[in-house]
Amino acid sequence: MNRYHRQILLPQIGEKGQRALAASRVLLIGVGALGTVIADQLVRAGVGFLRIIDRDLVELTNLQRQMLFDESDAKQNLPKAIAAANRLRAVNSEVKLDPIIADVDAGNFEDFIEKSDLILDGTDNVATRYLINDVSVKHKIPWIYGAAVATEGRVMTILPGKTPCLRCVFPDAPSPGELPTCDTAGVLGSVSSVVASIQSVEAIKVLSGNAQAISQEMRVLDLWTNRLRAVSLDDARRTDCPCCGKHQYEFLKSNHTSITSLCGRDAIQIRGGRGRLDLDQLQQQLQKSGELTRTPYFLRIRLSDPKDVELTVFPDARTIVKGTTDAGRARAIFSRFIGD
Ligand SMILES: [Zn+2]
């Protein structure tokens, strides 16, 4: 029996919808709490191609809600994109997977979108969502916004040219630190799973030729107080929207800041230029500077001096400086050991 039998039984999907799903190409940005559930559901549903982009490594604190990972992934400190693809391949070998370890930004985003039918938001930060919105509207690729913090969640589906975009509804990105995040406010795993499930159903509608069935409202839910609200988007589309009205893609044009504070993690991420790093060469250079760990995906060094700092260097020229929240100090240590 066909593995998609139960899904094909649905009159809304049928064999035609299933064939459309199998021919679809999906881009997932971020494979954390939302992204793992989305990826799991879409791979089981039988999308044709799934590109997964994530910059992080699996940690023990992820396991409470990031459904594709287990203790051995955390112990090995595997990149999330790789650990997710390993698991997904065992779930459905018919789906073509393309895991990429990278930090999506204004400079590289458009390199990743080729032939995507849909972009899914599995990110944990607001800046990347505004970037997804710009890319979506500019290239006319639908995207599905999802967010989960504490016991609350939100979902909205954006079809460029047809529905309001994110900036029609929230014109300006909040400044860093203005909104609570999972790192500061926590999150219930069940809440992110519900949000991701709603995103996945919206995705299946768009990809199976049922875009007319998408939600015309923004869904807002609080699973603790049992409140489910639908915010009407009827009058939300604005002709003066900087993105979908005026086509000024401000987030896509903005220079990527090379220093990012990794909220709640006592770490700073520094990106040094656009090129790639030769980790073998760097390993030679750093041999006497501390305790080295090398995996196929990164080079890590616990420095002998200063003793409280650990550097994790990725081939895409990113370094995570762990042990400080002071951007200046992180920058100085980076220059000293990795160079500019
Ligand atoms: Zn707009």
XYZ file of all heavy atoms in Angstrom, residues 229-299:
563
model
N -7.610 33.063 19.211
C -8.186 34.242 18.550
C -7.807 34.247 17.082
O -6.762 33.736 16.694
C -7.642 35.532 19.176
C -8.192 35.816 20.563
C -7.801 37.211 20.999
N -6.355 37.356 21.142
C -5.660 38.410 20.752
N -6.262 39.418 20.142
N -4.351 38.467 20.926
N -8.668 34.843 16.272
C -8.361 35.041 14.861
C -8.390 36.547 14.612
O -9.412 37.192 14.820
C -9.378 34.335 13.999
N -7.251 37.106 14.256
C -7.181 38.547 14.000
C -7.440 38.774 12.512
O -6.704 38.263 11.666
C -5.793 39.101 14.393
C -5.692 40.589 14.075
C -5.512 38.829 15.864
N -8.484 39.523 12.226
C -8.852 39.754 10.827
C -7.757 40.523 10.091
O -7.155 41.447 10.629
C -10.159 40.551 10.768
O -10.373 40.979 9.442
N -7.489 40.117 8.853
C -6.494 40.820 8.035
C -7.172 41.508 6.854
O -6.520 41.943 5.906
C -5.445 39.825 7.527
C -4.611 39.113 8.599
C -3.726 38.047 7.973
C -3.753 40.112 9.372
N -8.522 41.607 6.931
C -9.291 42.138 5.806
C -8.803 43.497 5.312
O -8.675 43.718 4.119
C -10.783 42.248 6.183
C -11.432 40.875 6.170
O -10.784 39.931 5.677
O -12.576 40.754 6.654
N -8.552 44.410 6.261
C -8.149 45.761 5.848
C -6.670 46.001 6.096
O -6.219 47.142 6.139
C -8.976 46.808 6.620
C -10.462 46.613 6.374
O -10.830 46.414 5.199
O -11.246 46.630 7.343
N -5.931 44.930 6.284
C -4.532 45.090 6.707
C -3.590 45.448 5.557
O -2.550 46.073 5.773
C -4.045 43.816 7.389
N -3.948 45.079 4.334
C -3.018 45.321 3.228
C -2.920 46.813 2.952
O -3.921 47.498 2.791
C -3.509 44.588 1.980
C -2.380 44.306 1.033
C -2.805 43.336 -0.038
N -1.900 43.464 -1.170
C -2.168 43.037 -2.382
N -3.319 42.455 -2.632
N -1.295 43.191 -3.348
N -1.684 47.335 2.910
C -1.504 48.786 2.803
C -0.735 49.124 1.528
O 0.312 48.540 1.251
C -0.727 49.302 4.025
C -1.479 49.066 5.340
C -0.879 49.845 6.484
N 0.502 49.422 6.755
C 1.560 50.222 6.679
N 1.441 51.482 6.337
N 2.753 49.747 6.944
N -1.253 50.106 0.792
C -0.567 50.507 -0.445
C 0.754 51.209 -0.109
O 1.669 51.232 -0.925
C -1.438 51.452 -1.290
O -1.922 52.488 -0.425
C -2.605 50.717 -1.921
N 0.833 51.791 1.129
C 2.082 52.469 1.500
C 3.019 51.551 2.292
O 3.980 52.010 2.903
C 1.783 53.753 2.297
C 1.124 53.445 3.640
O 0.604 52.313 3.812
O 1.124 54.330 4.527
N 2.733 50.247 2.277
C 3.645 49.312 2.948
C 5.006 49.388 2.260
O 5.094 49.277 1.040
C 3.088 47.887 2.865
S 4.281 46.623 3.332
N 6.089 49.605 3.030
C 7.416 49.745 2.406
C 7.794 48.506 1.580
O 8.467 48.614 0.562
C 8.366 49.894 3.591
C 7.525 50.087 4.794
C 6.130 49.655 4.485
N 7.320 47.344 2.012
C 7.710 46.104 1.320
C 6.791 45.796 0.139
O 7.174 45.936 -1.013
C 7.739 44.958 2.332
S 8.245 43.394 1.605
N 5.532 45.412 0.413
C 4.678 44.948 -0.699
C 3.993 46.091 -1.433
O 3.505 45.909 -2.541
C 3.677 43.905 -0.217
S 2.333 44.551 0.786
N 3.959 47.315 -0.820
C 3.353 48.455 -1.501
C 4.367 49.206 -2.344
O 4.190 49.433 -3.531
N 5.489 49.567 -1.707
C 6.499 50.397 -2.390
C 7.682 49.593 -2.945
O 8.543 50.157 -3.631
C 7.025 51.455 -1.415
C 5.967 52.461 -0.972
C 6.596 53.495 -0.053
C 5.627 54.573 0.345
N 6.181 55.379 1.468
N 7.729 48.323 -2.595
C 8.814 47.454 -3.079
C 10.210 47.981 -2.752
O 11.125 47.935 -3.561
C 8.656 47.172 -4.584
C 7.364 46.473 -4.873
N 7.184 45.118 -4.702
C 6.167 46.959 -5.275
C 5.923 44.799 -4.981
N 5.295 45.886 -5.333
N 10.333 48.520 -1.548
C 11.658 48.896 -1.045
C 12.049 47.792 -0.067
O 11.455 47.692 0.999
C 11.591 50.225 -0.283
C 11.178 51.384 -1.144
C 10.653 52.559 -0.321
O 10.415 52.441 0.883
N 10.457 53.683 -0.976
N 12.982 47.003 -0.447
C 13.301 45.841 0.386
C 14.413 46.211 1.368
O 15.570 45.854 1.201
C 13.648 44.652 -0.503
C 12.539 44.377 -1.486
C 12.711 44.590 -2.851
C 11.295 43.956 -1.032
C 11.674 44.369 -3.736
C 10.244 43.736 -1.915
C 10.434 43.942 -3.269
O 9.396 43.743 -4.135
N 13.998 46.946 2.405
C 14.970 47.565 3.322
C 15.816 46.545 4.076
O 17.002 46.768 4.310
C 14.230 48.462 4.321
C 13.602 49.679 3.656
C 12.573 50.386 4.541
O 12.358 49.941 5.689
O 11.982 51.379 4.064
N 15.194 45.431 4.445
C 15.952 44.450 5.235
C 16.945 43.673 4.368
O 18.006 43.277 4.810
C 14.994 43.500 5.959
C 14.243 44.188 7.051
C 13.076 44.894 6.777
C 14.735 44.199 8.339
C 12.395 45.572 7.784
C 14.081 44.871 9.364
C 12.895 45.562 9.074
N 16.571 43.528 3.110
C 17.443 42.832 2.172
C 18.630 43.704 1.768
O 19.693 43.212 1.402
C 16.623 42.452 0.930
C 17.036 41.271 0.074
C 17.439 40.086 0.899
C 15.897 40.911 -0.858
N 18.426 45.019 1.856
C 19.501 45.939 1.473
C 20.429 46.238 2.643
O 21.556 46.637 2.441
C 18.899 47.264 0.972
C 18.396 47.162 -0.463
C 17.863 48.514 -0.920
C 16.942 48.366 -2.116
N 15.751 49.214 -1.989
N 19.904 46.081 3.852
C 20.691 46.511 5.005
C 21.966 45.687 5.138
O 21.991 44.507 4.819
C 19.870 46.376 6.283
O 19.752 45.016 6.619
N 23.003 46.348 5.583
C 24.259 45.641 5.790
C 24.127 44.701 6.972
O 23.612 45.066 8.008
C 25.389 46.634 6.073
C 25.845 47.286 4.802
O 25.819 46.681 3.740
N 26.243 48.548 4.906
N 24.571 43.506 6.765
C 24.514 42.539 7.851
C 25.524 42.947 8.925
O 26.692 43.140 8.632
C 24.842 41.153 7.312
C 24.851 40.117 8.374
N 23.701 39.684 8.989
C 25.863 39.444 8.940
C 24.012 38.781 9.879
N 25.313 38.608 9.879
N 25.037 43.103 10.141
C 25.978 43.410 11.214
C 26.811 42.165 11.475
O 26.296 41.060 11.492
C 25.247 43.792 12.508
O 24.242 42.820 12.729
C 24.647 45.171 12.420
N 28.074 42.344 11.657
C 28.928 41.168 11.744
C 28.995 40.620 13.172
O 29.554 39.580 13.407
C 30.321 41.512 11.241
O 30.883 42.490 12.073
N 28.393 41.352 14.130
C 28.419 40.867 15.506
C 26.990 40.687 16.008
O 26.194 41.601 15.960
C 29.173 41.853 16.431
C 30.617 41.968 15.943
C 29.113 41.412 17.877
C 31.494 42.848 16.802
N 26.651 39.479 16.434
C 25.310 39.191 16.912
C 25.407 38.612 18.311
O 26.158 37.672 18.538
C 24.631 38.109 16.028
O 24.953 38.372 14.666
C 23.133 38.112 16.213
N 24.626 39.169 19.224
C 24.588 38.611 20.557
C 23.618 37.433 20.554
O 22.501 37.551 20.069
C 24.128 39.694 21.531
O 23.737 39.094 22.721
N 24.060 36.271 21.022
C 23.185 35.105 21.056
C 22.474 35.116 22.396
O 23.018 34.721 23.418
C 23.974 33.811 20.837
C 24.717 33.740 19.499
C 25.492 32.452 19.380
C 23.775 33.901 18.320
N 21.256 35.615 22.321
C 20.455 35.952 23.493
C 20.378 34.815 24.512
O 20.066 33.686 24.164
C 19.072 36.319 22.987
S 17.932 36.751 24.248
N 20.660 35.139 25.764
C 20.484 34.168 26.840
C 21.494 33.036 26.842
O 21.330 32.056 27.540
N 22.545 33.161 26.006
C 23.451 32.019 25.900
C 24.871 32.347 26.289
O 25.767 31.546 26.094
C 23.415 31.451 24.475
C 22.048 30.935 24.132
C 22.025 29.767 23.198
N 23.232 29.554 22.454
C 23.268 29.359 21.153
N 22.166 29.390 20.448
N 24.391 29.131 20.536
N 25.098 33.576 26.806
C 26.438 33.962 27.213
C 27.419 33.782 26.051
O 28.502 33.220 26.213
C 26.873 33.119 28.427
C 28.122 33.686 29.094
O 28.337 34.909 28.987
O 28.884 32.898 29.682
N 26.982 34.217 24.869
C 27.815 34.030 23.684
C 27.552 35.123 22.650
O 26.475 35.702 22.604
C 27.536 32.668 23.057
N 28.582 35.386 21.850
C 28.501 36.380 20.783
C 28.927 35.687 19.488
O 29.919 34.953 19.474
C 29.491 37.551 21.058
C 29.237 38.178 22.437
C 29.475 38.571 19.921
C 28.324 39.349 22.477
N 28.162 35.934 18.421
C 28.565 35.386 17.123
C 29.231 36.475 16.295
O 28.712 37.577 16.175
C 27.352 34.850 16.373
C 27.700 34.408 14.960
C 26.486 33.899 14.196
O 26.020 32.790 14.422
N 25.977 34.693 13.289
N 30.371 36.155 15.722
C 31.086 37.110 14.875
C 31.276 36.510 13.499
O 31.698 35.363 13.358
C 32.460 37.467 15.479
C 32.256 38.150 16.835
C 33.252 38.381 14.537
C 33.513 38.564 17.521
N 30.913 37.290 12.484
C 31.118 36.817 11.119
C 32.269 37.615 10.524
O 32.264 38.829 10.527
C 29.859 37.048 10.305
C 30.009 36.668 8.861
C 28.824 37.153 8.094
N 27.652 36.327 8.324
C 27.495 35.128 7.780
N 28.414 34.608 7.006
N 26.411 34.430 7.992
N 33.261 36.899 10.022
C 34.406 37.577 9.430
C 34.390 37.442 7.925
O 34.877 36.463 7.386
N 33.786 38.383 7.238
C 33.815 38.404 5.775
C 32.920 37.368 5.127
O 32.209 36.626 5.792
N 32.960 37.314 3.803
C 32.036 36.478 3.052
C 32.633 35.120 2.678
O 31.916 34.214 2.283
C 31.648 37.168 1.726
C 30.805 38.386 1.862
C 29.418 38.150 1.297
N 28.641 37.271 2.166
C 27.960 37.692 3.212
N 27.938 38.950 3.536
N 27.279 36.847 3.950
N 33.955 35.006 2.767
C 34.607 33.801 2.252
C 34.444 32.601 3.159
O 33.682 32.623 4.115
N 35.161 31.532 2.836
C 35.149 30.359 3.682
C 36.498 30.243 4.391
O 37.505 30.720 3.904
C 34.854 29.109 2.843
C 33.447 29.114 2.299
C 33.123 27.842 1.567
N 33.006 26.671 2.442
C 31.949 26.405 3.195
N 30.923 27.215 3.208
N 31.907 25.322 3.937
N 36.469 29.583 5.548
C 37.699 29.438 6.316
C 38.290 28.052 6.095
O 37.561 27.080 5.954
C 37.396 29.586 7.806
C 37.297 30.981 8.393
C 36.960 30.856 9.871
C 38.589 31.744 8.201
N 39.613 27.988 6.086
C 40.289 26.701 6.014
C 40.530 26.214 7.447
O 41.448 26.669 8.119
C 41.609 26.882 5.250
C 42.329 25.558 5.077
O 41.985 24.578 5.792
O 43.239 25.504 4.239
N 39.678 25.305 7.905
C 39.758 24.872 9.301
C 41.035 24.076 9.594
O 41.549 24.107 10.711
C 38.526 24.042 9.688
C 37.167 24.760 9.722
C 36.116 23.862 10.359
C 37.218 26.082 10.462
N 41.557 23.371 8.574
C 42.797 22.610 8.783
C 43.955 23.543 9.117
O 44.725 23.301 10.044
C 43.155 21.815 7.518
C 42.148 20.711 7.257
O 41.565 20.207 8.239
O 41.936 20.367 6.082
N 44.005 24.610 8.345
C 45.075 25.582 8.562
C 44.928 26.254 9.926
O 45.891 26.412 10.675
C 44.994 26.626 7.444
C 46.243 27.474 7.317
C 45.968 28.709 6.462
O 45.150 28.678 5.538
N 46.641 29.789 6.786
N 43.685 26.595 10.250
C 43.420 27.248 11.529
C 43.775 26.324 12.698
O 44.329 26.757 13.714
C 41.942 27.639 11.579
C 41.531 28.630 12.663
C 42.266 29.944 12.527
C 40.025 28.871 12.614
N 43.494 25.036 12.503
C 43.807 24.053 13.539
C 45.311 24.044 13.834
O 45.728 23.998 14.992
C 43.340 22.672 13.072
C 43.458 21.596 14.133
C 42.794 20.297 13.696
O 42.211 20.202 12.616
N 42.877 19.294 14.546
N 46.115 24.103 12.769
C 47.575 24.189 12.922
C 47.965 25.420 13.746
O 48.720 25.334 14.709
C 48.245 24.298 11.543
C 48.140 23.041 10.696
C 48.918 21.877 11.299
O 49.992 22.083 11.879
N 48.377 20.682 11.197
N 47.371 26.547 13.334
C 47.713 27.822 13.992
C 47.390 27.845 15.473
O 48.080 28.455 16.261
C 46.921 28.961 13.343
C 47.489 29.452 12.030
C 46.522 30.441 11.382
O 45.751 31.098 12.060
N 46.564 30.539 10.072
N 46.265 27.175 15.822
C 45.760 27.307 17.187
C 46.243 26.204 18.129
O 45.888 26.183 19.298
C 44.229 27.314 17.176
C 43.573 28.546 16.535
C 42.060 28.371 16.482
C 43.917 29.821 17.297
N 47.068 25.296 17.580
C 47.492 24.121 18.332
C 47.955 24.396 19.770
O 47.658 23.645 20.677
C 48.620 23.416 17.590
C 48.564 21.921 17.692
C 48.482 21.277 16.322
O 49.265 21.621 15.460
N 47.551 20.371 16.121
N 48.657 25.514 19.947
C 49.237 25.785 21.274
C 48.398 26.747 22.106
O 48.821 27.168 23.185
C 50.655 26.340 21.107
C 51.597 25.284 20.562
C 53.032 25.756 20.499
C 53.897 24.631 19.973
N 54.910 25.088 19.008
N 47.210 27.107 21.590
C 46.435 28.144 22.280
C 45.382 27.602 23.227
O 44.710 28.361 23.921
C 45.751 29.049 21.259
O 46.696 29.560 20.354
N 45.217 26.271 23.243
C 44.213 25.711 24.148
C 43.861 24.298 23.744
O 44.580 23.663 22.984
N 42.723 23.832 24.262
C 42.299 22.454 24.022
C 41.388 22.399 22.795
O 40.311 22.987 22.783
C 41.540 21.976 25.269
C 41.302 20.505 25.352
C 40.426 20.192 26.564
O 40.660 20.803 27.643
O 39.497 19.374 26.414
N 41.842 21.694 21.752
C 41.133 21.701 20.467
C 40.211 20.497 20.297
O 40.537 19.388 20.706
C 42.150 21.669 19.326
C 42.847 22.978 18.966
C 44.080 22.691 18.116
C 41.902 23.904 18.218
N 39.048 20.742 19.693
C 38.158 19.665 19.268
C 37.853 19.906 17.802
O 37.517 21.019 17.417
C 36.809 19.708 20.034
O 37.083 19.902 21.403
C 36.025 18.435 19.826
N 37.966 18.853 16.977
C 37.688 19.039 15.553
C 36.619 18.038 15.136
O 36.706 16.863 15.456
C 38.979 18.805 14.754
C 38.817 18.909 13.252
C 38.562 20.338 12.833
N 38.002 20.397 11.492
C 38.721 20.470 10.370
N 40.030 20.506 10.431
N 38.133 20.519 9.200
N 35.589 18.512 14.458
C 34.582 17.631 13.857
C 34.527 18.000 12.372
O 35.144 18.968 11.959
C 33.182 17.844 14.490
O 32.590 19.004 13.909
C 33.246 18.006 15.998
N 33.791 17.223 11.561
C 33.690 17.608 10.141
C 33.028 18.969 9.966
O 33.122 19.573 8.902
C 32.799 16.519 9.536
C 32.881 15.380 10.469
C 33.125 15.947 11.829
N 32.362 19.477 11.008
C 31.536 20.672 10.848
C 32.109 21.921 11.493
O 31.736 23.028 11.166
C 30.136 20.423 11.418
C 29.566 19.106 10.964
C 29.428 18.049 11.842
C 29.217 18.923 9.632
C 28.929 16.826 11.415
C 28.721 17.713 9.194
C 28.582 16.664 10.091
O 28.098 15.469 9.660
N 32.979 21.748 12.462
C 33.537 22.927 13.130
C 34.840 22.596 13.844
O 35.199 21.426 14.017
C 32.532 23.535 14.124
C 32.118 22.606 15.245
C 32.939 22.379 16.346
C 30.888 21.961 15.205
C 32.564 21.530 17.374
C 30.494 21.104 16.228
C 31.338 20.901 17.310
N 35.516 23.658 14.251
C 36.714 23.545 15.084
C 36.420 24.289 16.374
O 35.920 25.412 16.350
C 37.894 24.220 14.357
C 39.195 24.358 15.121
C 39.845 22.999 15.329
C 40.148 25.272 14.362
